[in-house]
């Protein structure tokens, strides 16, 4: 269970003797920050070097409360964009109820894992984890979503046309991390009691997304 608004992003610098935290709370007030990467190819809205982070995953409660938050207006699943030097927020790819991607597919329950490939396409995983203690089916499909570079500005502006080019691959085991490879492929890892692979690593290509195919 995540505490609403209690997550944050720090910035540290690596050097020969280890790492030094420069700013502890660079971006504050987040909920369940689960995956981050850097956009290296600019759009009209997002300069090269913009950081994107997956945030807003369920289940959420307020600090000190005993009940879960269920109001969709208070659960803002998104890929949040910010300046990694100043922490200034630059917009977001909305994944919450009523957003273009949610209307095309479904609301992302717990955005988990984010990667950006060499072409600037953004990949976000989803763990439908709002019922983590239940033995039954998850509340929605576990999947990895490909958001093309050309769609980022439209989705940031809540333009429904931006979702037309978004693709996804269903992953029976919950997506629990993603990273981009130098050759343009994406690697994801899976987990959960629903995972037939009992924890797997998958290499996904652009062709896999076009066909909606999960490879071995």
């Amino acid at each position: 269970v995540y505490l609403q608004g209690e997550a944050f992003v720090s910035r540290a610098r690596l050097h020969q003797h280890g790492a030094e935290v420069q700013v502890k709370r660079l971006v504050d007030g987040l909920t369940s920050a689960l995956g981050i990467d850097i956009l290296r190819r600019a759009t009209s809205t997002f300069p090269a070097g913009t950081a994107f982070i997956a945030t807003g995953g369920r289940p959420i409660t307020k600090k000190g409360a005993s009940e879960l938050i269920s109001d969709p207006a208070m659960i803002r699943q998104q890929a949040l964009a910010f300046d990694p030097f100043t922490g200034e927020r630059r917009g977001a790819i909305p994944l919450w109820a009523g957003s273009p991607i949610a209307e095309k597919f479904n609301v992302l329950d717990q955005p988990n894992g984010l990667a950006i490939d060499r072409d600037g396409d953004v990949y976000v995983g989803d763990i439908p984890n709002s019922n983590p203690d239940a033995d039954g089916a998850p509340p929605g499909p576990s999947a990895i979503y490909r958001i093309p570079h050309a769609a980022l500005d439209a989705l940031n502006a809540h333009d429904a046309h931006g979702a037309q080019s978004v693709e996804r691959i269903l992953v029976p085991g919950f997506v629990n991390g993603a990273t981009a490879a130098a050759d343009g492929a994406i690697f994801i890892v899976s987990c959960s009691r629903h995972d037939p692979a009992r924890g797997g690593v998958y290499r996904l290509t652009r062709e896999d997304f076009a066909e909606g195919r999960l490879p071995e």
Side-chain angles (χ1 to χ4, degrees):
V1 177
Y2 301 101
L3 297 179
Q4 186 182 41
E6 295 294 322
F8 58 89
V9 178
S10 300
R11 189 182 75 233
R13 179 172 294 278
L14 299 177
H15 50 73
Q16 61 180 348
H17 302 295
E20 177 185 358
V21 175
Q22 295 181 311
V23 183
K24 184 175 181 180
R25 292 180 177 267
L26 179 69
V27 182
D28 214 343
L30 304 179
T31 302
S32 66
L34 297 172
I36 188 170
D37 205 350
I38 301 295
L39 182 73
R40 292 166 176 81
R41 181 184 171 199
T43 71
S44 297
T45 302
F46 303 114
T50 296
F52 281 81
I53 187 165
T55 183
R58 301 174 68 189
I60 303 172
T61 189
K62 291 184 178 180
K63 190 173 184 178
S66 59
E67 296 182 353
L68 295 178
I69 296 172
S70 58
D71 182 357
M74 299 178 68
I75 303 172
R76 307 298 276 178
Q77 300 96 328
Q78 59 188 301
L80 178 68
F82 64 92
D83 184 319
F85 294 100
T86 67
E88 177 187 4
R89 302 190 184 202
R90 291 176 170 169
I93 306 304
L95 306 169
W96 57 72
S99 67
I101 290 178
E103 291 294 305
K104 179 176 180 178
F105 296 107
N106 49 257
V107 177
L108 271 68
D109 200 59
Q110 185 193 114
N112 191 350
L114 184 147
I116 304 178
D117 69 16
R118 62 187 182 187
D119 296 320
D121 297 345
V122 177
Y123 299 80
V124 182
D126 183 26
I127 288 181
N129 195 47
S130 58
N131 60 346
D133 296 324
D135 291 322
S142 174
I144 179 79
Y145 295 79
R146 172 181 169 264
I147 305 170
H149 179 267
L152 296 179
D153 289 349
L155 291 171
N156 177 69
H158 302 264
D159 184 344
H161 292 93
Q164 292 179 356
S165 58
V166 177
E167 301 169 326
R168 76 175 180 183
I169 296 175
L170 300 179
V171 185
F174 292 176
V175 180
N176 195 35
T179 189
D183 64 358
I186 294 293
F187 283 90
I188 63 171
V189 296
S190 67
C191 68
S192 84
R193 70 176 68 187
H194 307 285
D195 188 358
R198 297 184 179 275
V201 179
Y202 299 86
R203 179 182 183 275
L204 307 177
T205 65
R206 193 71 59 83
E207 291 74 23
D208 292 324
F209 279 93
E211 297 181 14
R213 174 186 64 213
L214 181 69
E216 293 296 322

